[in-house]
């Protein structure tokens, strides 16, 4: 059985991700739902891959995305970089 992705997330990112999960729940069925879903996905993907070539690839790919989800995803990745700096 593959590892639970949440178990791969370093503790220093866990509080941010938990806060984003709350925002996604609050934004459900609102205009901001896609942004916050993208933001949470970006945080989770960035937290698991930070410091690897996979993170760099995600960052590069995210630059070409548009729309609320893409903006949220990019913001999530940027926040992982900021926290790690």
């Amino acid at each position: 059985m593959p590892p639970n992705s949440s178990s791969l997330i370093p503790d220093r990112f866990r509080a941010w991700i938990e806060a984003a999960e709350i925002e996604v729940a609050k934004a459900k069925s609102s205009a901001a739902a896609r942004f916050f879903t993208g933001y949470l996905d970006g945080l989770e993907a960035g937290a698991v891959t930070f410091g690897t070539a996979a993170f760099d690839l995600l960052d590069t790919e995210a630059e070409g995305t548009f729309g609320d989800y893409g903006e949220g995803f990019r913001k999530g990745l940027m926040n992982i970089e900021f926290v790690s700096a």
Side-chain angles (χ1 to χ4, degrees):
M1 185 164 154
N4 180 347
S5 64
S6 65
S7 67
L8 300 174
I9 296 171
D11 288 339
R12 65 183 177 181
F13 302 129
R14 197 165 309 280
W16 273 32
I17 291 171
E18 289 172 358
E21 288 170 343
I22 293 168
E23 293 304 316
V24 167
K26 287 194 299 189
K28 208 174 221 175
S29 73
S30 76
R34 297 227 359 108
F35 174 85
F36 282 111
T37 299
Y39 179 69
L40 176 59
D41 289 348
L43 283 175
E44 290 175 334
V48 171
T49 62
F50 187 77
T52 69
F55 182 87
D56 295 336
L57 181 61
L58 281 173
D59 195 30
T60 300
E61 291 294 318
E63 288 177 14
T65 61
F66 298 98
D68 293 339
Y69 179 88
E71 289 176 28
F73 191 88
R74 283 193 311 275
K75 184 69 168 177
L77 288 178
M78 286 180 358
N79 283 342
I80 292 297
E81 283 184 302
F82 178 75
V83 168
S84 298

